[in-house]
Amino acid sequence: MRTFSTVEGLPIISLSTGKEYGHVQDLLYQDGTVIGFLIDPKGWFTKHLFLPVTSIENIGTDGVMISDSHVLKPMTQHEKRAIPLKTGKRRLHGTALLTAEGEKLGLLEDVYFQEEVGTIIGYEVTEGLVADLVEGRSVVKSNSKLTIAGGRAILTE
């Protein structure tokens, strides 16, 4: 189990060549799972790449290891429809997280996921800066589906 904040910014490194291909910029979420990462490639005037979670060999503290560069793909319409955690207008970060009963749990800060399969198993929420300093952030463990609509994220059965 890992949070996205521990992966954000890590370099993408090939196991076969040792070459670095860019850095993890964001997590892409679709239908209850992490489908992969948005990669900011090295170099000027390059487009973002997509790294499917199924193509990741290992995630360490200092890098995300891939077999070779062929697993990095240009963004397709399918990936562009996915919901990003941190970037873009449709991002989850900062979205109100509610239960199906209408209880606000806080604002979504991070996700906990199983890196092998991409299943989201929990959400880190905040009540604000002061509450974070006094009480810390809360972790909401859930296997519920996350419905995103109207600027809110709702945990449903």
Side-chain angles (χ1 to χ4, degrees), residues 17 27 44-45 56 73 86 128:
T17 64
L27 169 147
W44 291 66
F45 307 113
I56 296 170
K73 310 283 184 198
K86 298 260 183 153

Side-chain angles (χ1 to χ4, degrees), residues 7-141:
V7 178
E8 186 177 17
L10 288 179
I12 306 300
I13 301 170
S14 168
L15 284 169
S16 62
T17 64
K19 184 176 177 183
E20 183 178 313
Y21 291 99
H23 291 85
V24 175
Q25 183 174 3
D26 209 346
L27 169 147
L28 297 176
Y29 168 89
Q30 194 169 54
D31 298 326
T33 20
V34 175
I35 61 168
F37 297 126
L38 181 66
I39 305 303
D40 186 18
K42 294 183 85 168
W44 291 66
F45 307 113
T46 54
K47 293 185 178 186
H48 288 106
L49 297 172
F50 175 69
L51 173 60
V53 74
T54 53
S55 297
I56 296 170
E57 297 292 330
N58 290 300
I59 300 176
T61 56
D62 298 314
V64 176
M65 308 306 286
I66 58 174
S67 59
D68 207 342
S69 64
H70 70 278
V71 300
L72 297 170
K73 310 283 184 198
M75 296 282 288
T76 67
Q77 288 304 317
H78 175 71
E79 286 91 31
K80 289 178 183 177
R81 283 192 300 269
I83 298 170
L85 178 63
K86 298 260 183 153
T87 59
K89 292 180 182 177
R90 300 180 315 132
R91 70 180 172 263
L92 285 174
H93 185 265
T95 302
L97 182 64
L98 290 91
T99 65
E101 294 77 27
E103 178 187 351
K104 183 178 176 184
L105 301 171
L107 300 177
L108 200 118
E109 281 289 316
D110 208 347
V111 295
Y112 288 82
F113 66 100
Q114 293 176 321
E115 60 216 58
E116 301 83 15
V117 290
T119 305
I120 293 181
I121 55 175
Y123 304 91
E124 187 174 89
V125 295
T126 180
E127 294 287 330
L129 180 61
V130 175
D132 286 354
L133 294 172
V134 175
E135 302 168 11
R137 292 184 180 159
S138 317
V139 176
V140 177
K141 293 182 182 178

